[in-house]
Amino acid sequence: MDAVQRANSGHPGTPMAMAPVAYALWQRHLRFDPNDPIWPDRDRFVLSMGHASMLLYSMLHLCGVKAVNPKYETLGELSVTLDDIKRFRQLDSKCPGHPEYRWTSGIETTTGPLGQGVATSVGMAIAGKWLAASFNRPDFPMFGYRVYALAGDGCMMEGISGEAASMAGHLALDNLCWIYDNNKITIEGHTDLAFSEDVATRFIGYGWNVTRVGDANDLAMLDRAFETAEKTPGRPTLIIVDSHIGYGSPTKQDSHAAHGEPLGADEIRATKRFYGWPEDAEFLVPDGVREHFAEGIGARGARLRADWSARFDNYKKKFAKDADALDRMQRRLMPDGWDKNLPTFPPDPKGMGGRDASAKVLNAIAPGIPWLIGGSADLAPSTKTRLTFPEAGDFEAGSYSGRNFHFGIREHAMGAVLNGLSLSKIRPYGSGFLIFSDYGRAPIRLAAIMEIPVIYVFTHDSIGVGEDGPTHQPVEHLLSLRAIPGLITIRPGDANEVAEAWRVILELRHEPTALVLSRQPLPTLDRSRYASASGLAKGAYVLADGSGGSPDVLLLGTGSEVSLCVSALEQLTKEGIRSRVVSMPCWAATWCVNENCRRLGPRGLRPEAADGRYPPQGRA
């Protein structure tokens, strides 16, 4: 209440109502070490209703969660100090209006657009299953974490939550638990203005286990619900918690007035009186509170993490190759020699489609990158993104080691699931037609904000899409993707540029990439006559010069237009017109070629800080 009041902005009601739920989960159940918030087998907590961010910041502070620097070191500094909380919602605060990944340690994903958090949590749960199936060994259970997401009515109304819940039920993700704050209030008023469905029945239909806690203040029933979730096999769990928004506020409890604005000084004093709290004390943390959390989540998390670390030390001795893979994954590094099988394509005037070249490249390099996994929104036969080598397999319920995903016709949820996979340090890709990038734009934008290296493969990139007509012909989509700050959009011009694009993409550690490919065949250029395709790494490069000297005309092209520019150059040369062709597969070559370069990220162009702290708490 004090933080929102001082900021004169924010959402006090939900943190007030759900504080007992967060307390019960963190203090009694969450497998999380505040001193090592990036421990690989920690439980994940996602605040999907990101407007309730003060609930998360309060827990990070009271539990003593430590900040992590870009070198993956915890140096003892608190992730969220009391002074940070006093600067809630202020510019460059570690406590912004909605939780931001990498800006504040202990935050697992950026949330704010409702529904994105719960959908991202499905990706984290999928990652947990894949990691366990791929790396656990007899006597060495390296992965078994659970994922908890706190959601509200808005998350349930957004369509992405339905897509993601359907996927989670189909995959039997019993390591996933959503907690639904059923307070029946949104910004405009009571939810019956627009929402009257039976959420419990809906989730039972998805194949979920559903349980209910009738009072958010009932710690015993909350414990029972969490224990039920932990013990239920073969199904994710939804815990419906009935709460009172703005609990304890004499005049604003259960009203939309408690949702999105400060309570006011007089109302806060009256609410503190109801709590039995000193009325005029601000930002008060009574003696013993921090010690209480240290004895609960702190001691439990330290013990579990120490056990895991000791187990990992022995794991490294017995399974050195797997241990090395896990270490590289955590640091977003590729295996040595991962690109040794990257193909080179011979000149061919008929050529091949960008999607066909990509398929050959992907299947050549994927065996050497075991954690490169992905799929499509029911379009793999068209996007050519299926991994076909024998060991690839399919990720399915009960068979979680496969590397081919079937996202179903769920482009929006696919994007969020990819984010969850990437946040879990898997290297994911998802594919679809370029025209349908609109369906997944929100999670693409969030990946750029979070600076996580998700790969989007978009095919059918022009009017050359066959006979499907205008609904499948992208017009504005390239420019709209290029307009997203921090997203690298690459549109290769021939098969060798496709290969070089994959080389560049897989070396990126903090940039999501849209790889835009053609359906129709593109001539494979003769690189003995024209410049090497390695020029793609510059974003744009001189592909061909005409008769020498300063050109009279520059021909710039991307993708399927590059070969047209080359044909035009040949014709202009015959006519005595000096011309130059520039292939420009990426309009913004912003990836980092060395550790000292300046980087264009979502927050603008700025140098790396002298102490390496970019941004304040690193980019784990």
Side-chain angles (χ1 to χ4, degrees), residues 73-131:
E73 300 168 329
T74 53
L75 304 179
E77 175 187 342
L78 286 176
S79 171
V80 174
T81 67
L82 203 56
D83 284 339
D84 293 327
I85 288 176
K86 292 176 181 179
R87 297 188 61 249
F88 175 58
R89 281 182 167 247
Q90 305 308 298
L91 184 65
D92 291 330
S93 170
K94 294 178 186 175
C95 298
H98 295 80
E100 291 194 38
Y101 172 74
R102 76 179 172 78
W103 201 250
T104 306
S105 298
I107 292 171
E108 301 286 2
T109 182
T110 295
T111 56
L114 292 175
Q116 290 293 328
V118 286
T120 301
S121 75
V122 173
M124 295 175 177
I126 289 172
K129 289 292 189 183
W130 186 86
L131 288 165

Side-chain angles (χ1 to χ4, degrees), residues 130-138 140 142-143 308 312 314-330 335 370-371:
W130 186 86
L131 288 165
S134 301
F135 292 100
N136 287 2
R137 300 289 181 268
F140 288 93
M142 303 312 300
F143 290 97
W308 187 90
F312 185 61
N314 290 324
Y315 186 86
K316 286 189 287 188
K317 297 173 184 176
K318 293 196 69 173
F319 309 102
K321 183 178 179 181
D322 291 331
D324 178 69
L326 285 174
D327 182 69
R328 289 174 184 268
M329 288 174 66
Q330 296 306 309
W371 53 94

Side-chain angles (χ1 to χ4, degrees), residues 434-449:
L434 179 59
I435 191 73
F436 300 135
S437 60
D438 286 341
Y439 279 57
R441 189 176 181 85
I444 293 173
R445 181 175 180 271
L446 286 178
I449 289 174

Side-chain angles (χ1 to χ4, degrees), residues 301-316:
R303 182 182 68 254
L304 291 166
R305 192 261 304 163
D307 289 346
W308 187 90
S309 297
R311 191 161 58 250
F312 185 61
D313 287 339
N314 290 324
Y315 186 86
K316 286 189 287 188

Side-chain angles (χ1 to χ4, degrees), residues 360-377:
K360 293 180 182 297
V361 173
L362 188 56
N363 275 282
I365 60 177
I369 311 172
W371 53 94
L372 176 64
I373 60 181
S376 77

Side-chain angles (χ1 to χ4, degrees), residues 163 167 374-383 385 405-415 418 429-433 436-437 439-440 457-458:
E163 291 182 32
M167 191 185 307
S376 77
D378 195 53
L379 287 170
S382 292
T383 60
T385 47
F405 278 84
H406 301 277
F407 292 101
I409 307 167
R410 304 182 180 103
E411 287 90 352
H412 198 182
M414 178 177 72
L418 292 173
Y429 64 87
S431 66
F433 292 171
F436 300 135
S437 60
Y439 279 57
V457 180
F458 293 122

